[in-house]
Amino acid sequence: MSGSAGQPLALARSFLFVPATRPERFAKALASGADAVIIDLEDAVAPGEKAQARQLLAQAWPGLAAAGRARVLVRVNAGNTPWHGDDLNLLGGLVGLGVAGVVLAKAEHAAQLSHVAAVLGPACVLVPLIESVAGLDAADTLARCPQVLRLAFGNLDFQADAGLACGPDEAELTAVRLALLLASRRAQLASPIDGVTADLQDAAQLARDVLRSRSGGFGAKLCIHPSQVAAVNAAFSPSPAEIDWARRVLAASKAASGGVVSLDGRMVDTPVLLLARRTLARADHGQGGPHHA
């Protein structure tokens, strides 16, 4: 985990996209309640507007407060596109001005990530976006690359690349999500970031999607509209009962001076302690997270 931005972003629950061509929305996105904001140079920007998008981002960046900059990642175009090099040149200047990290679109090769890390330096965290079969094949390698903080899932692009026609519950992608979770765990990364819910009008679908994400081990979700943020944050925050359980676990372990102890009929071993600590860390983040700063 690299840079001072690493810990807050490792616990972030919501990542809200905003097009780089709409700088008037940057501050609004940061004020939306989202734990992190992704300024997008890729899908949200037409090919003919790429240069203008970079210029607009560069011009707007000094106007963002320092606390806000620490919550911003920039999604750059894929390494095999003609815009990738210019994106990195822009980001090289913004890293020294507080940008937290980079989301690499269509990440598929470790060499791509290593190049981004080398160009931007150790202060910049990386989030590879897995949105192709080739990216899935390389998930373990990508997860272990320097400066990678979390994996993210590009569910819509993955469906297109794999030739899938998923139903609303995306049951066809269950194995893919599990693979990303396991790759993250093997690399000791923070929990992965799930993909978007495209229907902005269907709150019930969003709730189902976030429940699936959380029960499947994901710790965050990509959002495409501020209206999705509150539900996502709430769903990924521990419940009062979970917080109470975690506090009792740590108290019981402390009372036993680290020895073997049982709580509610269950042995408190190392995995249980880790879960309790992660639960309280997520609770602390939700109560006083970066968007409250």
Side-chain angles (χ1 to χ4, degrees):
M1 189 179 300
S2 301
S4 59
Q7 186 61 25
L9 292 177
L11 296 171
R13 304 157 295 180
S14 50
F15 289 76
L16 176 62
F17 281 111
V18 59
T21 50
R22 302 299 299 270
E24 74 278 5
R25 295 184 183 176
F26 295 173
K28 293 179 182 178
L30 286 166
S32 68
D35 287 341
V37 169
I38 302 174
I39 297 178
D40 193 12
L41 293 170
E42 196 227 6
D43 274 352
V45 179
E49 298 178 351
K50 299 289 189 183
Q52 180 192 25
R54 287 190 294 269
Q55 183 179 12
L56 289 171
L57 173 54
Q59 291 172 346
W61 191 256
L64 298 178
R69 296 179 190 180
R71 293 162 46 216
V72 172
L73 302 99
V74 177
R75 177 161 71 168
V76 299
N77 290 277
N80 61 353
T81 66
W83 311 291
H84 181 72
D86 289 334
D87 289 351
L88 292 190
N89 287 339
L90 167 65
L91 267 293
L94 295 186
V95 168
L97 298 175
V99 71
V102 168
V103 178
L104 178 61
K106 297 175 177 64
E108 295 179 346
H109 304 289
Q112 296 170 335
L113 285 173
S114 297
H115 175 68
V116 174
V119 170
L120 300 183
C124 187
V125 299
L126 306 181
V127 176
L129 188 56
I130 310 300
E131 43 190 340
S132 66
V133 174
L136 177 63
D137 286 345
D140 274 303
T141 305
L142 297 175
R144 291 185 170 96
C145 285
Q147 298 164 222
V148 169
L149 182 71
R150 306 173 80 163
L151 300 180
F153 185 32
N155 56 321
L156 301 184
D157 282 296
F158 187 92
Q159 290 178 50
D161 183 69
L164 294 169
C166 294
D169 64 355
E170 294 187 351
E172 300 84 353
L173 296 178
T174 299
V176 180
R177 288 188 162 93
L178 178 60
L180 297 182
L181 171 68
L182 297 180
S184 299
R185 293 296 296 141
R186 284 190 289 264
Q188 298 184 322
L189 299 182
S191 54
I193 306 162
D194 209 350
V196 303
T197 297
D199 190 338
L200 299 178
Q201 307 302 319
D202 194 340
Q205 183 63 53
L206 177 64
R208 288 190 295 269
D209 287 353
V210 184
L211 177 61
R212 177 198 61 213
S213 300
R214 183 174 174 181
S215 64
F218 282 69
K221 184 172 175 63
L222 301 172
C223 301
I224 56 174
H225 193 274
S227 64
Q228 297 178 324
V229 168
V232 169
N233 283 349
F236 281 114
S237 298
S239 68
E242 289 172 317
I243 294 170
D244 176 68
W245 170 84
R247 287 174 175 160
R248 290 192 298 117
V249 165
L250 295 184
S253 177
K254 182 178 180 181
S257 301
V260 176
V261 66
S262 176
L263 180 69
D264 300 335
R266 180 181 180 184
M267 186 178 72
V268 176
D269 55 8
T270 299
V272 172
L273 284 171
L274 288 175
L275 176 59
R277 292 188 182 109
R278 282 200 298 266
T279 298
L280 292 181
R282 289 192 295 121
D284 290 343
H285 178 81
Q287 293 167 4
H291 56 283
H292 296 290

